[in-house]
Amino acid sequence: MKLRKLLVCVLTAAVLFGTTGVTTYAAEKDNTTAAIATEEESTSEDKKVSITEKKEVKEVTKSTETKVVTTTKKETTTAKTTKTTKKETVKKSTKSTTKKTIKKSTKKSPARKYTSSDLKLMSSIIFCEAGAEPYAGKVAVGIVVKNRMESKSFPSTLKGVIYQKYQFGPVRNGALKKALAKYESGKFTSSYQKSSIRAAKTALSGEKKITYKGRKLNLNKYLYFSGRVSNAKLTIGGHQFK
């Protein structure tokens, strides 16, 4: 009887000991599994944070690069615009300067519209009509001859005007013929003759104004001159003009 009770006690103790060990092992296993799960969750969160940070860094980098590229493009565009503006300004300035130069050149150097024969004939008639007159008087005679060429009331050529009947005394008395002969032979060289050539060039070039006694006078409508002219508007030396 005692032996049976002893066996029962031993078995009971063994069962209790086994159950405790199993419970402890299971608890330890559960703790270990929980720890591993916690670590995995922590690692997963760390990875997510890392990926998020990388994305943010990439986005910031891309944004910065985009801004830099945009800024560079703007600067390049601005530089090109500036260059284009400068070129246009230079071109405009050059064109403006060229136009001004052409205008000044045209004013200072009127285009020559006469031949050597015209110069010979005009110089000779001026010398014959106003050889001893002031230079302004010589130019005035030449302007009257040129005005007649441009008037519908007279011939349109220099020769036609000078050789028109009853108009110029030197044609009738032979003085013009002698002056032309001297010019052709190279003997048209006196001071009066040289100033007559200069006056002829001025008149043939289209000049209509003269300066006499400090006054600028416009003779663009004057068609007559002589020692005495009715209703004369201007007197220079021994000639009257209108």
Side-chain angles (χ1 to χ4, degrees):
M1 189 69 179
K2 290 180 178 180
L3 180 60
R4 186 179 293 178
K5 288 182 180 180
L6 180 63
L7 286 172
V8 171
C9 289
V10 170
L11 288 172
T12 302
V15 170
L16 290 173
F17 179 78
T19 303
T20 303
V22 170
T23 303
T24 303
Y25 175 77
E28 289 178 354
K29 190 173 182 180
D30 291 339
N31 290 336
T32 303
T33 303
I36 291 171
T38 302
E39 288 181 359
E40 287 178 351
E41 288 178 359
S42 177
T43 303
S44 177
E45 289 179 357
D46 289 342
K47 285 182 179 180
K48 288 181 180 179
V49 171
S50 178
I51 291 170
T52 304
E53 289 177 349
K54 285 182 179 180
K55 286 183 178 179
E56 289 179 353
V57 169
K58 284 183 179 179
E59 289 176 357
V60 171
T61 304
K62 285 183 179 179
S63 177
T64 305
E65 289 176 351
T66 303
K67 288 181 180 179
V68 170
V69 170
T70 304
T71 304
T72 305
K73 286 183 178 179
K74 286 182 179 178
E75 290 176 351
T76 304
T77 304
T78 303
K80 287 181 179 179
T81 304
T82 303
K83 286 182 180 179
T84 303
T85 304
K86 285 182 178 180
K87 285 181 180 179
E88 290 177 352
T89 303
V90 170
K91 285 182 180 178
K92 288 180 181 179
S93 178
T94 304
K95 287 182 180 179
S96 179
T97 304
T98 303
K99 286 181 180 179
K100 287 180 181 178
T101 303
I102 291 172
K103 286 182 180 179
K104 288 181 180 179
S105 177
T106 303
K107 287 181 179 180
K108 290 183 178 179
S109 304
R112 176 174 170 169
K113 298 179 181 179
Y114 57 88
T115 65
S116 58
S117 296
D118 292 336
L119 180 60
K120 176 179 68 175
L121 187 54
M122 182 69 90
S123 300
S124 298
I125 194 65
I126 288 174
F127 172 71
C128 292
E129 289 286 2
E133 297 292 325
Y135 178 71
K138 291 182 175 68
V139 176
V141 168
I143 290 173
V144 168
V145 173
K146 193 72 165 58
N147 287 344
R148 287 192 177 191
M149 291 169 60
E150 297 168 356
S151 171
K152 293 180 180 180
S153 301
F154 297 90
S156 59
T157 64
L158 179 61
K159 188 174 182 179
V161 168
I162 291 176
Y163 286 97
Q164 188 178 14
K165 285 185 177 182
Y166 313 117
Q167 295 301 311
F168 292 92
V171 175
R172 296 194 301 272
N173 61 26
L176 179 60
K177 187 177 181 179
K178 290 179 182 179
L180 288 170
K182 281 189 176 183
Y183 192 104
E184 290 174 354
S185 64
K187 295 179 180 179
F188 205 79
T189 56
S190 69
S191 59
Y192 290 152
Q193 290 163 342
K194 287 180 179 179
S195 62
S196 295
I197 293 173
R198 189 157 57 94
K201 289 179 179 179
T202 299
L204 288 170
S205 295
E207 181 60 63
K208 301 294 184 181
K209 296 178 181 180
I210 62 171
T211 301
Y212 183 60
K213 293 184 177 180
R215 291 191 304 158
K216 276 277 188 182
L217 304 170
N218 192 335
L219 307 183
N220 66 330
K221 294 183 180 180
Y222 284 58
L223 295 171
Y224 302 93
F225 74 90
S226 185
R228 186 174 179 81
V229 177
S230 60
N231 302 317
K233 297 178 181 179
L234 174 66
T235 299
I236 299 177
H239 281 147
Q240 292 180 341
F241 297 84
K242 74 171 184 179

